[in-house]
Amino acid sequence: MSAPPARHWRITLADNTVDEHEIAAVTEVLRSRWLSAGAQTAAFEREFADRIGTDDAVAVSSGTAALHLAMMALDLRPGDEVIMPALTFVAGAAVVALAGAIPVLADVRAPDDLTVDPVDVARLVTGQTRAVVAMHYAGYPADLAALRAVTDRHGAVLVEDAAHAPMVEHDGRMLGTHGDIGCFSFFATKNVTAGEGGMVVARDDAVRDRIRLARSHHLTTSTWDRLRSGDASYDVAGFGLNYRPTEVAAALGRVQLGKLPLDRERRRSLVATYREVLAAAPELVLPFAGRTGDSALHLMPVVLPAGTDRGAVREGLAAAGVQTSVHYPPVHHLSAYRSSPGAGRSALTVTNAVAARLLSLPLHSRMSDDDAALAAAALLRCLRQR
Ligand SMILES: *Cc1c(COP(=O)(O)O)cnc(C)c1O
């Protein structure tokens, strides 16, 4: 693609709100010289738990680590199955495959609702189904009530991949707390960023405590504890990894969490502008435009008219300085998963119909409404030229 170098984008796909506040917080951590999980991490966990309405939360090094720890908590065995949308980030499938289990791919509901279809999920349940993963695409809630009915009926676990959806209220509680385990990401492009980072919440305290142990080799005491107590001994009663966040990331995340309400407001205005301008485009689908509830508005996806040359549209937008992306190439289109036993169970009719038509437009809170109007107008021009 003849995209201009990064600095020449007029409007980048994503950006963050990092400023002097984060710089001050991070500098303070560096001056303290305690850099791995400690007081900042504990404070980040407390503040996240307070805001999301849980007793506790476990900060980790990435959203992928959060999902991996969730799957480890299920004690998946070879042959076990975990159902998830085909239209998700590959991390969700990888953590299941790495456990020797089978990611079973379900369809999404419709071109204008890109969350997993509970009817297809119900159809895909077998005696081996251990869990269902609900991914809140672009920050819009998946149909949790319907998915919960399916998991309850079959004794399966409901995991929420809420990487797109920090602090979104739905049916009286936050996303991530409807299921048994909720996973969040603080990657550089997410609404709350720590550079890299993640968080896990769990309905059951015992599950959450096991996830906290597995985050740090299942050690009974941490380096932080040993520093404070002077006791050098520890035991290991399970298999774990090092998925701890750094104190630098935790300090960054704490400041970012406080900025989320303003970020949400800006995104709301941008999405309204996009929808207003793009309503003029015949056959262009604006996913979730009919939703009335809360959303993190993480992405601004559109589904191009059938038969559109997406590459040409992206070239046209790039020429106008507008960066775009695709969320996502469906998991079953990726080489590693193409012949996976869980890839062919569902016809994936909607996913396959929209896969080549999905396009994500720039959306971040450093954009002005004029930026959104400009990007939308550029898309309209590209569509008229086809
Ligand atoms: C970002 C993301 C992840 C992975 O999070 P990382 O922090 O990048 O590891 C997982 N699932 C979804 C839906 C994501 O958007």
Side-chain angles (χ1 to χ4, degrees), residues 6-308:
R7 66 180 181 280
H8 288 145
W9 291 116
R10 193 158 164 189
I11 310 171
T12 58
L13 180 77
D15 200 345
N16 61 58
T17 54
V18 169
D19 63 15
E20 293 305 320
H21 295 92
E22 284 84 351
I23 293 168
V26 164
T27 305
E28 198 179 315
V29 168
L30 294 174
R31 285 193 209 288
S32 82
R33 304 209 311 284
W34 188 271
L35 301 183
S36 179
Q40 289 291 329
T41 299
F44 188 27
E45 291 176 338
R46 257 192 331 271
E47 287 160 13
F48 191 91
D50 275 353
R51 282 168 192 266
I52 207 161
T54 57
D55 292 339
D56 200 358
V58 183
V60 295
S61 53
S62 72
T64 305
L67 288 165
H68 193 195
L69 289 166
M71 291 305 141
M72 284 167 66
L74 301 182
D75 284 323
L76 292 176
R77 287 191 208 126
D80 283 351
E81 297 175 0
V82 177
I83 303 174
M84 66 189 66
L87 194 64
T88 190
F89 184 56
V90 67
V95 296
V96 172
L98 283 167
I102 301 170
V104 175
L105 305 179
D107 208 359
V108 290
R109 294 211 282 193
D112 68 353
D113 189 328
L114 302 170
T115 60
V116 72
D117 178 8
V119 177
D120 201 35
V121 169
R123 209 166 18 224
L124 291 167
V125 171
T126 70
Q128 313 287 19
T129 303
R130 297 290 315 286
V132 172
V133 180
M135 200 277 269
H136 305 301
Y137 186 103
Y140 299 87
D143 189 345
L144 289 162
L147 293 170
R148 174 53 91 185
V150 175
T151 53
D152 279 356
R153 199 153 56 235
H154 299 280
V157 171
L158 181 59
V159 175
E160 292 180 72
D161 179 347
H164 295 185
M167 307 305 160
V168 174
E169 199 173 319
H170 173 72
D171 282 348
R173 55 197 302 163
M174 296 290 189
L175 294 184
T177 68
H178 289 254
D180 299 285
I181 305 176
C183 301
F184 296 85
S185 165
F186 309 128
F187 177 60
T189 60
K190 299 296 187 339
N191 293 23
V192 171
T193 185
E196 302 279 0
M199 193 74 78
V200 189
V201 294
R203 177 173 294 247
D204 180 340
D205 293 356
V207 170
R208 185 199 58 226
D209 292 346
R210 269 207 300 145
I211 287 172
R212 178 170 277 122
L213 283 170
R215 167 183 74 173
S216 193
H217 312 289
H218 248 278
L219 296 180
T220 50
T221 62
S222 71
T223 311
W224 175 246
D225 296 330
R226 291 195 296 279
L227 177 83
R228 287 180 302 175
S229 69
D231 181 357
S233 70
Y234 63 75
D235 188 25
V236 171
F239 302 125
L241 293 151
N242 173 5
Y243 280 161
R244 295 182 304 269
T246 67
E247 286 285 271
V248 170
L252 232 165
R254 290 179 69 193
V255 180
Q256 284 275 297
L257 207 50
K259 290 181 172 179
L260 198 47
L262 274 178
D263 172 81
R264 185 76 42 90
E265 237 176 77
R266 187 88 287 278
R267 286 172 187 269
R268 213 168 270 136
S269 176
L270 294 167
V271 169
T273 303
Y274 268 125
R275 285 178 181 161
E276 203 179 304
V277 179
L278 293 175
E283 297 167 69
L284 180 74
V285 181
L286 301 176
F288 307 107
R291 292 271 191 120
T292 51
D294 196 13
S295 166
L297 306 166
H298 174 55
L299 301 172
M300 179 62 211
V302 297
V303 179
L304 299 171
T308 307

